[in-house]
Amino acid sequence: MSIMKSKPFFAYRSFWPELETMKRMSEAGVKTICFYASNTLNSLGEPYCKYPPMWNWYGEYDFEPLDRQIADSQSVCPDVKFICMVDLNSPEWLIKNRICYDSFSELGRVICNPEWREFMNEYLHAFLEYSEKKHGDVIEAYAIASGQTCEWMDFSLGTESPAKTAAFQAWCRERGIPVPDDIPPPSIRNRVTHDAMLRDPQQDRLALQYWKFCSEAVADTLAYFVGEARTIVPAAKPIGAFYGYAVELNGDRFLSLSHLAYEKALDIPGLDFLISPGTYRDRAMGGGSGFMVPYG
């Protein structure tokens, strides 16, 4: 993890109840577990973790799976501490019943929707109030998670939605720049004028403005939820997020995943650390893996 204001963590992470491995890690001295209390389907359309979802309908929460997930880990490592990933992706029933866009694969299309933000905020408060009251003594930190693979990545390739179009127009208006009727279409937002590498500040001005807006919208959304979490989570308990990866994201993904508002993200009050998976370039057995976020 890239530490901003908190102590370093070294944790074992699994979204499944791999109790024998947890026991071996504990015996080796790794007594912190990062787990995901999830309502989300993964890229294969399957539940992220083996425990049941906790958000079952509007205002209907059952946090017994959270209790069980923590108790199972404690059964093999009684003195375990936890980093808890908080799931702010839309559950499947909400996507089909009300929101229409899937935050897991279309984060950019939904984060500008005030209704989505309200639903996620209600769940965030319910979850944290429960987890802090019942498990606050063993949860050392939280990681606020949303977007593709729960890493605040937008896989919608800049696609519009009514709320996103309105938000982009408002963003332009606030900065005193020409307000377009729509977001730039793919032919404009994906065009690279110079040698398939560089955009021209004049010819590609609208695309540059739009992609900047996309990244800032993600960072602003993260800031909003961190601020809400801080009303419940004590100031001494770190809050982090998966974000960044400029070292490894490349090609079209570098821009379209909307992970480039570093200044905004690193200045979020109450956000204490960034976290990433291990590098994709060295995951074979015997490899050293690595870290996808810059250390400084």
Side-chain angles (χ1 to χ4, degrees):
M1 299 182 184
S2 178
I3 304 303
M4 293 151 69
K5 292 180 289 187
S6 63
K7 71 173 187 178
F9 291 108
F10 189 84
Y12 170 74
R13 188 182 81 164
S14 178
F15 301 154
W16 290 9
E18 297 175 337
L19 301 184
E20 187 58 37
T21 302
M22 292 178 184
K23 181 180 179 181
R24 295 202 306 271
M25 294 295 288
S26 173
E27 291 170 348
V30 181
K31 298 182 181 293
T32 302
I33 291 175
C34 179
F35 75 100
Y36 194 17
S38 173
N39 305 292
T40 299
L41 301 181
N42 63 21
S43 301
L44 298 176
E46 299 176 346
Y48 247 99
C49 69
K50 292 290 187 180
Y51 297 88
M54 295 165 291
W55 188 6
N56 298 314
W57 196 243
Y58 301 104
E60 295 185 11
Y61 314 115
D62 177 8
F63 295 120
E64 188 276 335
L66 170 64
D67 300 336
R68 197 187 329 160
Q69 200 166 359
I70 288 176
D72 285 349
S73 300
Q74 291 173 324
S75 70
V76 295
C77 181
D79 54 348
V80 65
K81 297 293 184 179
F82 296 96
I83 301 171
C84 176
M85 292 174 59
V86 184
D87 185 4
L88 292 187
N89 270 318
S90 312
E92 190 74 9
W93 60 263
L94 180 61
I95 299 166
K96 292 181 176 179
N97 185 260
R98 192 71 167 267
I99 294 297
C100 300
Y101 303 119
D102 180 2
S103 60
F104 186 86
S105 57
E106 300 176 296
L107 182 68
R109 304 185 76 187
V110 75
I111 55 177
C112 299
N113 182 337
E115 186 180 45
W116 177 84
R117 182 176 289 201
E118 182 179 343
F119 286 137
M120 294 302 111
N121 191 41
E122 288 176 2
Y123 175 75
L124 174 70
H125 277 255
F127 179 88
L128 290 177
E129 286 166 4
Y130 182 91
S131 65
E132 277 298 291
K133 181 178 180 179
K134 190 158 186 181
H135 304 291
D137 57 330
V138 294
I139 295 177
E140 285 193 316
Y142 291 96
I144 308 300
S146 190
Q148 182 78 13
T149 56
C150 317
E151 299 172 80
W152 292 99
M153 296 191 294
D154 176 17
F155 265 47
S156 69
L157 298 177
T159 309
E160 79 284 353
S161 69
K164 187 177 184 181
T165 301
F168 178 52
Q169 291 169 333
W171 184 89
C172 293
R173 199 173 293 115
E174 289 169 3
R175 285 155 182 78
I177 57 181
V179 179
D181 293 331
D182 288 298
I183 69 166
S187 60
I188 293 177
R189 67 177 184 259
N190 296 332
R191 183 181 64 205
V192 180
T193 301
H194 299 295
D195 300 324
M197 290 181 61
L198 298 175
R199 284 185 162 88
D200 186 283
Q202 295 302 319
Q203 297 182 59
D204 303 317
R205 182 176 65 251
L206 183 58
L208 290 167
Q209 292 168 347
Y210 178 66
W211 287 119
K212 182 176 176 63
F213 157 76
C214 289
S215 279
E216 289 191 356
V218 171
D220 287 340
T221 305
L222 174 58
Y224 171 77
F225 287 121
V226 169
E228 291 295 319
R230 271 288 169 228
T231 66
I232 302 168
V233 177
K237 185 172 293 189
I239 293 176
F242 288 80
Y243 188 88
Y245 319 162
V247 174
E248 290 210 13
L249 293 182
N250 50 37
D252 295 340
R253 297 195 309 163
F254 187 68
L255 189 64
S256 66
L257 292 180
S258 301
H259 256 219
L260 295 179
Y262 282 95
E263 293 86 351
K264 274 183 170 286
L266 295 172
D267 285 341
I268 292 173
L271 182 66
D272 301 300
F273 63 91
L274 300 181
I275 184 174
S276 83
T279 172
Y280 288 93
R281 297 173 182 169
D282 189 18
R283 289 188 173 183
M285 292 299 294
S289 190
F291 192 50
M292 294 200 290
V293 177
Y295 284 100

